[in-house]
Amino acid sequence: MKWKNRRRSSNVDDRRGQRISGGGARGAGLGGIIMTLLIRGSMRTRLLVIGAVLAGMFFFGVSPQALMSGGGGSQPVTTQVAPTPNDEMGAFLSTMKADNEDVWTQLFQAHGKQYKASKMVIYSDKTVMPGGLADARMGPFYMPSNQTIYIDPHFFNEMSQRFGAPGDFAQAYVVAHEVGHHVQHQLGYTDRVHSQRGRVSEKEYNRLSVRLELQADFLAGVFAHHADRQFQFLESGDIEEAMNCARAIGDDALQKGAGRKVVADSFTHGTSEQRARWFNRGYRTGNLEDGDTFSVAYEQL
Ligand SMILES: [Zn+2]
C-alpha cells in the first residue's frame, strides 16, 4: 500500500519506551488499602468495605479488575514527555489514523452526523489506562470510556510470525477495525451490546459480541473502499493481505491454533470465513447500510 507523504494525525500519543511508575503499576493506592481491609478487617469492616466498593464502582464505572490491580484510586504517572513519532512504524500508524479520520468525517457528514475523532496510544509492553493497565498481551483494543485505541506495534510481529498474516495492509486493517469500534461507539451499537452484559446468558452475550466484531470488520472494509477512492493507496495483493489477516484471527482458527477444541458458543469475534467475508462486503459496497449485523439472523451472519 502507499502511505507516505500524507497527513499524520495529531490524535496520537506515542508512549513507546516509557516506564510506568506510581500506584497503578504496583498495587498500592486505594486498591491495596481495600484489599488489606478485606483480608485483615473484622466481618463488619469487610461488609462496609464491600458496600463502599460496590457503590463506588456503580457511580464511577470502575472495573473490579482495576481495583485488584491497584489502579482504582491512585494517580499513576509516566516518565518522560511523549515524543512525536518519527520512526517508520510511528509515521505509519499516525498516517493510518489520519486516513481513518478523513474518511469517517466525510461519511458521517454525508449522513448528517458529526464525527469526533478517537485518540490513539502507541505503547510498548504496558501503559496506564483508566481503571488499570493496558498490556500488550491483550492485543490492540478500543476503550469506549475514553474513546482511545491502545496498540503495541509488537503485535504486528506476532501477526506475521505466529498467525501468518504479514503485510502493511494487514496492519492497516487492524487499525481500521479498532477505528470501526469507535464508529460503533458513536453510532450507539457499543452501548446496545454492553448494556446486555449480565442480562442475557453468556452464550447470547457472545453472539452479540460476534455481531459487534463482524460489524467492525465490515467498517474496516468500508474504510478501505473510501480511502482508496480518496488516496488511491491500494496496491495489488493488499485486500488479500487484509482478508488473510481476518481469517488468521477468526475464533475457529485461534482455537485450533491453540490446540483447543473449536466451540462455536464461545466465539466472540466470528469465524475466519465470517470475518473475511464481512470485511470484503464493506470493501466492495462501501455502503454503511449494508453493515447491519444486528438485524441479520445469527445463522445467516
Ligand atoms: Zn474488535
Side-chain angles (χ1 to χ4, degrees):
M1 70 176 294
K2 299 189 206 99
W3 63 268
K4 297 204 166 155
N5 304 315
R6 280 205 300 281
R7 183 178 83 82
R8 293 190 199 168
S9 172
S10 54
N11 294 308
V12 174
D13 179 2
D14 186 3
R15 299 184 190 164
R16 285 171 297 172
Q18 291 182 7
R19 279 182 307 134
I20 301 160
S21 55
R26 288 199 206 105
L30 184 62
I33 296 166
I34 288 168
M35 287 311 285
T36 308
L37 286 173
L38 283 176
I39 293 162
R40 304 229 180 108
S42 66
M43 185 50 80
R44 191 180 135 77
T45 311
R46 290 183 203 178
L47 287 174
L48 281 172
V49 169
I50 290 168
V53 168
L54 288 176
M57 289 194 306
F58 180 75
F59 285 114
F60 300 110
V62 180
S63 74
Q65 289 98 315
L67 284 171
M68 294 314 171
S69 69
S74 53
Q75 278 296 318
V77 286
T78 47
T79 51
Q80 298 172 13
V81 177
T84 325
N86 269 321
D87 63 308
E88 186 93 351
M89 180 51 72
F92 172 76
L93 285 173
S94 40
T95 306
M96 282 307 101
K97 183 71 174 60
D99 285 357
N100 276 276
E101 289 167 5
D102 293 348
V103 163
W104 286 112
T105 299
Q106 286 181 18
L107 281 175
F108 268 55
Q109 250 164 32
H111 287 75
K113 294 190 173 82
Q114 205 196 346
Y115 181 70
K116 286 197 355 226
S118 70
K119 300 263 175 232
M120 176 189 270
V121 170
I122 311 175
Y123 71 101
S124 45
D125 194 30
K126 285 181 179 62
T127 195
V128 176
M129 66 174 188
L133 288 180
D135 188 309
R137 286 170 298 183
M138 295 152 91
F141 65 95
Y142 170 72
M143 182 155 219
S145 67
N146 64 348
Q147 308 192 26
T148 301
I149 293 162
Y150 291 86
I151 189 162
D152 176 342
H154 287 116
F155 177 74
F156 295 142
N157 299 341
E158 209 173 324
M159 244 169 59
S160 155
Q161 285 154 25
R162 224 173 86 196
F163 302 122
D168 51 8
F169 203 72
Q171 300 172 0
Y173 152 70
V174 169
V175 174
H177 173 97
E178 297 310 329
V179 175
H181 282 313
H182 177 62
V183 170
Q184 292 175 309
H185 174 62
Q186 286 191 56
L187 296 178
Y189 288 104
T190 313
D191 282 353
R192 223 165 105 182
V193 169
H194 288 181
S195 68
Q196 295 303 306
R197 179 164 271 163
R199 291 192 189 181
V200 295
S201 68
E202 194 184 333
K203 177 181 162 183
E204 202 46 53
Y205 192 80
N206 286 347
R207 288 180 163 212
L208 287 172
S209 169
V210 167
R211 291 180 185 280
L212 197 67
E213 293 297 334
L214 291 179
Q215 190 177 56
D217 286 332
F218 170 82
L219 295 173
V222 169
F223 160 76
H225 175 102
H226 292 280
D228 191 42
R229 288 195 170 181
Q230 205 169 331
F231 310 117
Q232 288 86 43
F233 71 168
L234 290 177
E235 294 175 315
S236 98
D238 278 345
I239 291 300
E240 193 39 55
E241 266 176 22
M243 294 198 19
N244 176 52
C245 180
R247 279 185 216 108
I249 54 180
D251 285 320
D252 49 346
L254 291 179
Q255 290 183 353
K256 264 183 229 155
R260 297 208 308 269
K261 215 176 98 199
V262 176
V263 181
D265 284 348
S266 70
F267 289 175
T268 52
H269 286 68
T271 66
S272 300
E273 188 276 327
Q274 286 175 317
R275 299 199 66 170
R277 182 159 42 77
W278 279 96
F279 168 82
N280 194 38
R281 183 173 181 167
Y283 169 64
R284 275 189 294 104
T285 73
N287 184 5
L288 277 180
E289 278 74 39
D290 291 333
D292 191 356
T293 54
F294 289 87
S295 302
V296 184
Y298 190 77
E299 289 71 24
Q300 249 105 63
L301 268 178

